[in-house]
Amino acid sequence: QVHLMESGGGSVQTGGSLRLSCVVSGVTTSSYCLGWFRQAPGKEREGVARIWSRGGHPAYTDSVKGRFTISQDNAKNTLYLHMNRLKPEDSNVYYCAAQSRTYGFCILSDWAYDYWGQGTQVTVSA
């Protein structure tokens, strides 16, 4: 069974930083897509960043470019999202996601992912 376990959420002031972590277990294929998504009440789930588990090639939604960095440590089976210069509009529940196998594509659309974490709350105060 594939499991994704998140940590690192919390509350910060505008301009602060947080690092989210997601430990992924049960996926052993050589290369698959990993992503971070976020969702605010009444809003659709938004793709934030995604990366190939082996090949890298990170991509980001425009609103976080230059502020957020997605990375992974394959030895620790952990996906990270480093969030800098946080803004109140970044306040969301953040989810990590993974594909179940190598599909050959990696995009910021939730339908492209098979497994999801439980979500972790990020709150940015003005």
Side-chain angles (χ1 to χ4, degrees):
Q1 184 80 359
V2 175
H3 288 98
L4 290 79
M5 303 184 69
E6 300 166 328
S7 62
S11 298
V12 297
Q13 294 183 337
T14 297
S17 299
L18 285 172
R19 187 187 73 170
L20 306 183
S21 300
C22 176
V23 178
V24 182
S25 62
V27 179
T28 59
T29 186
S30 61
S31 185
Y32 56 95
C33 190
L34 294 159
W36 286 99
F37 292 76
R38 63 188 183 185
Q39 188 170 27
K43 301 289 186 179
E44 293 185 339
R45 188 170 295 178
E46 176 191 22
V48 176
R50 95 301 179 275
I51 192 169
W52 286 104
S53 62
R54 296 292 182 89
H57 302 285
Y60 306 88
T61 191
D62 286 343
S63 64
V64 307
K65 286 181 179 178
R67 299 189 299 118
F68 290 13
T69 301
I70 187 171
S71 62
Q72 78 275 6
D73 185 337
N74 288 329
K76 297 180 179 179
N77 297 312
T78 303
L79 176 73
Y80 301 100
L81 184 67
H82 298 262
M83 304 184 294
N84 299 312
R85 290 181 283 128
L86 284 161
K87 305 174 181 179
E89 51 263 44
D90 295 319
S91 297
N92 286 278
V93 176
Y94 283 72
Y95 302 87
C96 61
Q99 294 179 336
S100 61
R101 62 179 182 176
T102 302
Y103 292 116
F105 61 89
C106 190
I107 58 177
L108 285 170
S109 299
D110 57 2
W111 56 261
Y113 298 83
D114 302 298
Y115 301 105
W116 296 83
Q118 78 287 348
T120 185
Q121 178 69 52
V122 171
T123 302
V124 184
S125 301

